[in-house]
Amino acid sequence: MFCEIDFMTSLTIISDERYLQHDTGGGDHPEIPARLQAVYQALDNSAFSAKFSYAAPRIAEREWLLQAHTEDWLFRFEEAVLSGRTFIDHNDNQVGYDSYDIACLSAGAGLAGIDLLEADKANNVFCLVRPPGHHAEKSIPFGFCFLNNCVVAARYWQQKYKRKRVLVFDFDAHHGNGIQSAFEEEKEGFYLSIHEHPSFSYPGTGYADEHGLGDGKGTILNLPLPPGGDDNQVQRLFEEIIPSQLEEWQPDAIIIGAGFDAHVADDMSGLHYSTELYQDIGREIKSWGQRFTGGKILSILEGGYELSVLGDSVEAYVRGLLKP
Ligand SMILES: [Zn+2]
C-alpha cells in the first residue's frame, strides 16, 4: 500500500555518501567519516525510522557562499586542496583532494533544506553533513571547519525568503566563534550558544559578557557552563534564561547547530551531558518551533566525536524533535 509521509510529524534527513569522502588523513584526527556512519546506523535502528524521509543536498552556489566568506578564502581553500595540501593553516584543518567540493556540498544541505521548508515539503529538516562549520570565520578555517554551514544557511533564509530574524541555537560543546562574528554587529540575526566556558575550552571565545557590538548589541547570548556542566544546568537555562530571551527576539526562522561533543563520554570537552539530555534538547527546540516558526526547524550537524555514543545521542535528539 502506498503510504504518504505526513511532513508535519516527520523528519527530513539531508545527507550524501560523498560526505564520507572528506579525507582528514586517517591517523588520530577525530573528525572522520565513521562519525556519519555511526549516525546513519543509529537512525536506521531508531523506533522512529518510519517517520524519516530523505532528500539530497546540493552544492552551495558561490553567490551564497560569498554571503558568509570572502572570495580570497574560497580561492585559497580550493587551490590548497587541488595542489595536494593535507591541511590548511593548522593541523586541525586536514583536507584531501575532494574537500573543497564536499565542503560546498555540506554548506548546500542547509539551502536545500530551507527550500523544502519554504515549499511546505518538510517541517523538520536535519542535515547530516561533514565537514562541520561553526568555527569557520569569513576568511579563515578553524577547528575542522572550512565553510560556516549555519551562517550560509542563515544568509540564504534572510535574503532569499526575507526571514530576517533568524535564530541560530548552537548546543555543541564548543562556542561557534564563526557564527558569533557573522552576527555580532547586526540587529537581525541572533546567536544563542550553550558551551563549555572559554577559559577551559576551545576556541576561547563565548564569554557571557559578549552580547554583540554596535547595532548588534543584544543579539548574542552566550551561556557558558563550567567543566562538569550537566543535564541539570542545561535544563535550568531552558527554564529560567532562554524563554524570555526568545520572546524578546521573536525569531522567524530557527537553525540549530547540533553538536554532540558535550556528552560525558566524549573527551573533546569537559561537559557531562547524558544521552537522554539530547532528547530533552530536541523537545525544547520543538516547542520553540511551535511558538515562533509554525513548527519549522532546520538542524545542521556540528561536532560529536565519541563513536560509542554519537549515534545514540543524535537518535535521542531526533526523538525529542518528533515525539508528540
Ligand atoms: Zn565541538
Side-chain angles (χ1 to χ4, degrees):
M1 194 181 81
F2 180 70
C3 172
E4 196 169 339
I5 276 202
D6 173 4
F7 289 118
M8 290 305 285
T9 59
S10 77
L11 179 77
T12 302
I13 293 169
I14 298 185
S15 198
D16 195 294
E17 295 266 307
R18 284 174 283 177
Y19 294 137
L20 303 174
Q21 291 162 17
H22 166 52
D23 181 1
T24 49
D28 56 4
H29 198 283
E31 204 290 282
I32 50 175
R35 297 176 57 236
L36 272 190
Q37 289 164 319
V39 171
Y40 295 156
Q41 194 178 1
L43 292 180
D44 278 349
N45 294 333
S46 171
F48 281 74
S49 61
K51 290 177 174 288
F52 302 159
S53 63
Y54 294 85
R58 68 173 195 256
I59 300 264
E61 296 82 6
R62 199 170 183 88
E63 73 171 296
W64 298 112
L65 294 176
L66 287 171
Q67 297 299 322
H69 295 283
T70 61
E71 188 109 54
D72 279 358
W73 164 233
L74 298 183
F75 279 125
R76 186 162 76 92
F77 180 14
E78 187 169 22
E79 188 183 79
V81 305
L82 294 179
S83 65
R85 295 275 301 278
T86 57
F87 68 90
I88 306 177
D89 293 357
H90 187 284
N91 230 352
D92 277 353
N93 310 315
Q94 292 280 332
V95 289
Y97 189 76
D98 297 315
S99 293
Y100 177 81
D101 290 342
I102 299 167
C104 292
L105 191 66
S106 185
L111 310 189
I114 290 166
D115 286 344
L116 291 173
L117 292 167
E118 289 290 337
D120 285 328
K121 291 180 178 164
N123 202 52
N124 212 327
V125 173
F126 197 169
C127 302
L128 297 177
V129 300
R130 60 184 291 277
H134 73 156
H135 296 306
E137 294 279 353
K138 215 169 177 171
S139 58
I140 314 174
F142 271 115
F144 323 151
C145 301
F146 304 89
L147 300 176
N148 202 311
N149 303 326
C150 284
V151 174
V152 174
R155 295 311 187 206
Y156 186 70
W157 227 336
Q158 288 177 315
Q159 290 171 32
K160 178 153 188 205
Y161 293 104
K162 308 299 173 207
R163 296 198 191 275
K164 301 285 186 197
R165 303 179 70 80
V166 173
L167 164 71
V168 180
F169 170 51
D170 181 345
F171 62 81
D172 189 276
H174 305 100
H175 181 245
N177 55 289
I179 304 173
Q180 175 165 313
S181 53
F183 284 178
E184 68 188 346
E185 294 183 55
E186 299 175 10
K187 60 179 189 298
E188 291 161 330
F190 311 103
Y191 182 55
L192 166 61
S193 179
I194 301 176
H195 49 265
E196 188 173 17
H197 195 283
S199 297
F200 305 94
S201 181
Y202 187 87
T205 55
Y207 285 87
D209 64 358
E210 298 167 16
H211 291 300
L213 309 162
D215 281 352
K217 249 194 186 99
T219 62
I220 306 292
L221 181 60
N222 288 313
L223 300 171
L225 297 178
D230 62 9
D231 298 14
N232 289 331
Q233 293 179 47
V234 173
Q235 269 146 356
R236 214 171 307 139
L237 297 175
F238 282 143
E239 285 160 22
E240 294 171 11
I241 308 282
I242 295 174
S244 60
Q245 189 65 56
L246 295 182
E247 288 302 326
E248 190 177 313
W249 283 342
Q250 293 286 317
D252 58 15
I254 298 176
I255 298 173
I256 307 299
F260 297 86
D261 44 6
H263 194 288
V264 62
D266 194 316
D267 63 12
M268 291 289 276
S269 85
L271 296 176
H272 284 188
Y273 298 1
S274 72
T275 303
E276 286 312 300
L277 178 66
Y278 291 107
Q279 178 176 323
D280 298 338
I281 292 174
R283 193 184 304 127
E284 187 69 22
I285 289 168
K286 178 184 179 172
S287 75
W288 304 350
Q290 288 167 335
R291 169 78 183 87
F292 297 106
T293 61
K296 291 194 193 303
I297 293 159
L298 177 74
S299 302
I300 301 177
L301 184 67
E302 292 288 351
Y305 304 96
E306 175 46 55
L307 298 182
S308 64
V309 296
L310 173 60
D312 286 346
S313 300
V314 171
E315 198 273 336
Y317 172 63
V318 165
R319 254 187 286 136
L321 287 175
L322 290 178
K323 262 193 171 169

